[in-house]
Structures are given as structure tokens and as C-alpha cells.
Amino acid sequence: GIQVEQSPPDLILQEGANSTLRCNFSDSVNNLQWFHQNPWGQLINLFYIPSGTKQNGRLSATTVATERYSLLYISSSQTTDSGVYFCAVLYTGGFKTIFGAGTRLFVKA
Amino acid sequence: GEEVAQTPKHLVRGEGQKAKLYCAPIKGHSYVFWYQQVLKNEFKFLISFQNENVFDETGMPKERFSAKCLPNSPCSLEIQATKLEDSAVYFCASSQTSGNTIYFGEGSWLTVV
């Protein structure tokens, strides 16, 4: 089946710093989403981005489907950005969305 | 409704007891998914439905887990004879069509003691 790999697994930032999270996937996909799971366990939709670039405030994402990767950029990080960021892909071999293992982000004040 | 509604939020069961979780997808969404997340780690896909039909059940431990989506009723995920390792948060998600954005509920936290 499709493999979804996220890097780095853990990240500690000083408030105000920028970061880039990466998601690599091993096969063609119909859909890719980025989620933020906050410390209370809620899953928040960040981007639906099967290809191209999108921006939402301090966050932006780029997916290059032909090269099978996606990047999530966080600029001017805040303590509320802490949590786990998941990349999830819908692969064409079956109808299920597969998650990566996540990047655990901690932003220090 | 405007969001995926999961009940109960928390459930505690003794080992060997039955657990049943419910999910109401967003109104107008045809696809429903169940995932298991243990200790905020990876999400394990369990099963997906297109309306009341099972679409993909490759993640279901079939000997104790079952799920249904019946017309005009919330979808359900049932675990017979729970085990300690079933302790997890069970997330339900829905999407309007194949390939669209999927939206998650807030999860049901199952603790087996």
C-alpha cells in the first residue's frame, strides 16, 4: 500500500520562528490534506491541497503531486501552533485516507 | 448538521464488555470513515461507507469489530468483548463525494479497564 512519511518527527521552535514540515508519499493520490491536532485532541482542517499552493494567514502549503511531496510552512510561529501536524492522502487504489505519523511541534514562549 | 457529531465523548468499559459508538455525518455527505488513534499516535483506518454500503473494510479487526450506516440513523461502530488494547480515541469523518475534503468529528474516547 501507499507509504506516507512526514519529517521531522519532532520540532521545537522559539516563538516567532519559521518552519517547514514535509510529507512524502509513495504513490499517486487524489487528495492531500494537512491537519493540526491541538493538545486537546481536536483535529483541525488546515488545507485541502492535492496540488498547487495555498495560503491561510501565517500558514501556507505546497503540493507537487508529480514529485510526490507536500510542504507545510508555518511563519512567525506562536505557542498556539503547538500540537501534531498530520498529512493525510487519499490514494487511488482504494477509498481510504492514509495518515502519516505526524510532526510533533512545540513552540516555546 | 454542519459538523460531524460523535457520541459519546467518553466511554469506560470493563474488559470483555461491549462498546458502541455513534457518528452523525455532515448533512449531505455520502461517505463516512472510522479511524482509531491510540495515545495521539498514528491514525489507523478501520472502515469506510458510501451511504449504507461498506466501501472499504480492510482495517477492521473483524472478529470483534463491526460497523453500520443505516438510512435515517447515525452510523455506529461496535466492539464486542473489548480488550485493553482497544483503548483509544475513535474518530469519525465524512465527505461529500469521493476525493473531497474529509471533515472529522471530535472523537469518542474509549477506555477499557
Side-chain angles (χ1 to χ4, degrees):
Chain A
I2 192 169
Q3 303 297 314
V4 182
E5 295 181 352
Q6 291 187 241
S7 59
D10 298 282
L11 186 59
I12 300 174
L13 296 176
Q14 191 65 47
E15 199 170 23
N18 303 328
S19 64
T20 300
L21 282 55
R22 188 176 180 103
C23 172
N24 292 335
F25 42 95
S26 62
D27 208 338
S28 60
V29 299
N30 289 341
N31 181 13
L32 187 145
Q33 287 182 243
W34 283 97
F35 294 92
H36 174 215
Q37 188 169 36
N38 65 23
W40 296 271
Q42 287 179 307
L43 267 179
I44 299 159
N45 269 316
L46 296 178
F47 295 102
Y48 167 86
I49 188 164
S51 63
T53 297
K54 290 186 178 179
Q55 178 150 10
N56 184 3
R58 296 181 296 103
L59 302 181
S60 64
T62 295
T63 297
V64 183
T66 53
E67 297 186 23
R68 299 182 182 169
Y69 73 88
S70 183
L71 302 173
L72 177 69
Y73 306 96
I74 304 174
S75 63
S76 303
S77 58
Q78 300 176 357
T79 55
T80 51
D81 294 332
S82 296
V84 186
Y85 289 80
F86 289 98
C87 163
V89 302
L90 174 63
Y91 81 102
T92 53
F95 191 67
K96 59 185 173 187
T97 294
I98 304 297
F99 281 75
T103 292
R104 282 159 181 74
L105 173 64
F106 179 67
V107 180
K108 298 188 294 184
Chain B
E2 295 290 323
E3 59 182 24
V4 177
Q6 291 189 244
T7 55
K9 290 196 188 307
H10 302 277
L11 187 61
V12 179
R13 285 291 179 264
E15 211 173 357
Q17 291 185 315
K18 183 174 76 174
K20 195 165 186 178
L21 311 174
Y22 297 91
C23 169
I26 293 173
K27 190 176 179 181
H29 283 196
S30 303
Y31 293 86
V32 171
F33 313 85
W34 285 98
Y35 288 85
Q36 179 196 57
Q37 187 187 32
V38 178
L39 294 177
K40 289 193 179 178
N41 289 323
E42 293 188 46
F43 284 82
K44 179 187 174 186
F45 169 81
L46 295 176
I47 191 168
S48 61
F49 289 85
Q50 181 184 12
N51 296 313
E52 62 266 27
N53 303 309
V54 174
F55 206 95
D56 187 327
E57 57 181 347
T58 51
M60 285 285 271
K62 289 184 183 173
E63 56 277 4
R64 295 184 301 108
F65 284 60
S66 63
K68 293 179 187 176
C69 277
L70 300 176
N72 303 313
S73 297
C75 296
S76 64
L77 176 69
E78 188 168 346
I79 310 172
Q80 301 285 344
T82 53
K83 297 183 178 181
L84 296 177
E85 63 258 33
D86 298 331
S87 295
V89 181
Y90 291 84
F91 285 95
C92 175
S94 71
S95 69
Q96 190 172 30
T97 62
S98 168
N100 262 28
T101 303
I102 61 173
Y103 296 89
F104 280 81
E106 296 197 342
S108 290
W109 194 307
L110 172 65
T111 302
V112 181
V113 297

